[in-house]
Amino acid sequence: MGEAPSLSFDTRTFHWTDAKSKVITRPQDPYNYLQGFGNEHQSEFLPGALPIGQNSPQICPFGLYAEQVTGTSFAASRSHSMRNFLYRRRPACVHSTYQKIPDNPTIESSFLNPSKDLHSIPSQLSWSPFKIPAKEVAVIDFTKGIHTLGGSGQPNVREGIAYHIFTINSSMQNTAFVNTDGDFLIVAQEGHLDIFTELGHIYLQPSEICVIQQGLRFKVDIVEKYSPSGARGYIIETWGTKWELPELGPLGGFGLANPRDFLFPTADIDTSSSGPWKIVSKQEGRYYAISQDQTPFDVVAWHGNYIPYKYDLTKFVYHNTVSVDHTDPSINTVLTAKSRDLHAPLCDFLIFGPRWDVAQNTFRPPYFHRNCASEFLARIYGPEVAGGRSEVFAPGGASYEAGFTPHGNADQRTIGAMHVDLKPMRVGENQLTFMLESCRSLLFTNWALNDSGVLVAEDIPASTWDTVPDRFGENEEAIKFLKAMNRA
């Protein structure tokens, strides 16, 4: 549970450890958590609720019902098997029949071919901050506030990915959501969220991410005290794969996102709600609903490893060169989701925050490059100015470069780095940015390109590159060589 640390807790300007906190969460977070990525965990809301030595007793403690949830096939290898046993007041199967309900028209889940609704983009895109709707205009909760930007693949073939944003102004009232298509990785950008899952609460605020796996029920509430204008963030949805920690290789046993810093909820139950509940199920991007008299958040105890979790990005342990050259951005990978191609991940989730740059005899900014991967970037907090990458790169917006699209920074500060006196310096101060690198090129929705109303550029203006003229053609030594070869 959070408590006020001895120093001002402002991780926008430094690493988590500078706050000298003696607890694992921020002061606003009221919940207790279990620690350890990839672990088997167990939790009881009431002591003695977990059966000992077996999973399904003839009669469970306190008259509870045992229910298994599997996230992988029964015969999956032990290293990949994911499953839970839940001990709840009533089984989840106690509900009405499924009914088709109106879809969220801005969610898309099928990205197999370009069409009048899906568009390939060969260049670069940038969006200004996505707008949070005012309550006076419409009440928008999480089920209605998800908007798809783009994706690749399709959930019913268990292959692919989708990038969404969410902008909401209301909590979910007696409503839960379940994504049967894939996993959600949620990035908080504006406002604080209280996410109630079947396995307990996750408190999420800007600079934190959480993962809610396929098939698990949850509800998203806005913490009004810290969310006067509502809440905004990003969702990376993956189909047919799970998020993993990247291999450390020569880095050794520690670094990047350390397993102990991933937090898992503890068992909790809803004892305050009344009246019927609605469970909204997303299947192939379409919405269906069931109703039930009991709360879906009635799990008194659980054990397993198919558990939602969160991670504070300010705990990330950066690594970089201490000699020469700019290190590839993959060194900042927090989580990775594998594809069928062992050499090309479906998605790497990377971050860039405050850190040191000490490279000598080096052009320190990112080199100009063409990547086989597509790149999607969003700023969680920081300055409104892009720094030459695109016209607008403000917190709450985004930018995108298609695979093999040439790109790089071209502002005066970047070009000036070719001539600056190189000393150890802090970079990324007062900002936090995440990047998604994917082996897939995305197809973008009409909402992303038109209806969002915040697309500001479909390419970087040609005039931007006036700062990188042809210097070779004016280099006297080069001209001398060319003349000697009769090539001048």
Side-chain angles (χ1 to χ4, degrees), residues 162-176:
Y163 299 166
H164 316 279
I165 63 101
F166 68 90
T167 52
I168 61 176
N169 58 27
S170 176
S171 299
M172 296 169 62
Q173 303 298 328
N174 276 45
T175 300

Side-chain angles (χ1 to χ4, degrees), residues 154-472:
Q154 192 176 42
N156 85 333
V157 296
R158 293 182 58 78
E159 181 92 17
I161 192 167
Y163 299 166
H164 316 279
I165 63 101
F166 68 90
T167 52
I168 61 176
N169 58 27
S170 176
S171 299
M172 296 169 62
Q173 303 298 328
N174 276 45
T175 300
F177 188 77
V178 57
N179 180 13
T180 65
D181 292 335
D183 292 4
F184 274 170
L185 188 159
I186 301 173
V187 184
Q189 189 276 321
E190 178 74 24
H192 291 205
L193 304 176
D194 188 338
I195 303 175
F196 202 167
T197 78
E198 291 180 273
L199 289 86
H201 283 273
I202 291 177
Y203 191 97
L204 199 68
Q205 55 189 296
S207 303
E208 293 183 321
I209 62 173
C210 79
V211 171
I212 301 178
Q213 292 89 345
Q214 179 185 16
L216 297 181
R217 298 173 175 182
F218 65 97
K219 72 188 294 279
V220 177
D221 290 341
I222 292 176
V223 182
E224 299 286 348
K225 179 179 179 181
Y226 302 106
S227 315
S229 301
R232 175 174 56 206
Y234 307 84
I235 302 172
I236 303 93
E237 183 178 9
T238 51
W239 306 316
T241 185
K242 300 296 181 187
W243 292 100
E244 304 175 12
L245 293 177
E247 299 293 342
L248 292 178
L251 290 180
F254 305 97
L256 308 184
N258 286 314
R260 68 188 293 245
D261 293 325
F262 287 80
L263 305 182
F264 296 77
T266 55
D268 199 357
I269 59 173
D270 171 20
T271 58
S272 60
S273 67
S274 60
W277 276 77
K278 179 171 70 172
I279 316 296
V280 177
S281 175
K282 183 173 82 72
Q283 303 185 37
E284 306 296 328
R286 303 292 180 253
Y287 277 8
Y288 300 84
I290 53 177
S291 61
Q292 58 188 53
D293 293 332
Q294 75 278 8
T295 174
F297 306 109
D298 64 349
V299 178
V300 181
W302 56 261
H303 72 84
N305 64 355
Y306 194 57
I307 316 162
Y309 57 87
K310 78 167 186 172
Y311 175 74
D312 193 313
L313 298 173
T314 64
K315 293 179 179 177
F316 188 77
V317 182
Y318 290 94
H319 291 261
N320 213 331
T321 182
V322 292
S323 57
V324 298
D325 288 345
H326 180 88
T327 308
D328 284 336
S330 52
I331 196 67
N332 294 324
T333 301
V334 179
L335 291 168
T336 184
K338 293 178 179 177
S339 72
R340 292 186 181 181
D341 183 346
L342 296 179
H343 307 292
L346 177 66
C347 188
D348 284 340
F349 183 94
L350 293 69
I351 62 164
F352 305 93
R355 59 201 185 279
W356 284 97
D357 194 341
V358 299
Q360 293 297 301
N361 307 313
T362 295
F363 178 63
R364 287 180 173 177
Y367 34 73
F368 300 104
H369 53 291
R370 291 177 292 167
N371 287 349
C372 62
S374 62
E375 295 183 357
F376 177 92
L377 289 98
R379 180 163 284 169
I380 297 172
Y381 55 76
E384 305 285 328
V385 180
R389 187 176 183 85
S390 59
E391 285 187 311
V392 173
F393 191 49
S399 74
Y400 171 80
E401 283 97 16
F404 290 108
T405 296
H407 58 282
N409 291 359
D411 60 344
Q412 292 295 337
R413 185 183 64 176
T414 301
I415 302 306
M418 297 179 181
H419 310 287
V420 71
D421 182 22
L422 294 178
K423 297 179 179 179
M425 61 183 291
R426 292 282 286 170
V427 296
E429 290 281 55
N430 303 305
Q431 68 89 25
L432 184 62
T433 297
F434 75 88
M435 179 165 74
L436 308 174
E437 289 214 339
S438 175
C439 64
R440 304 294 189 93
S441 289
L442 304 190
L443 296 177
F444 284 90
T445 64
N446 286 332
W447 189 89
L449 301 181
N450 298 297
D451 299 342
S452 67
V454 295
L455 182 70
V456 294
E458 294 194 36
D459 211 339
I460 293 178
S463 60
T464 299
W465 308 110
D466 292 343
T467 56
V468 286
D470 176 11
R471 298 180 303 182
F472 180 85

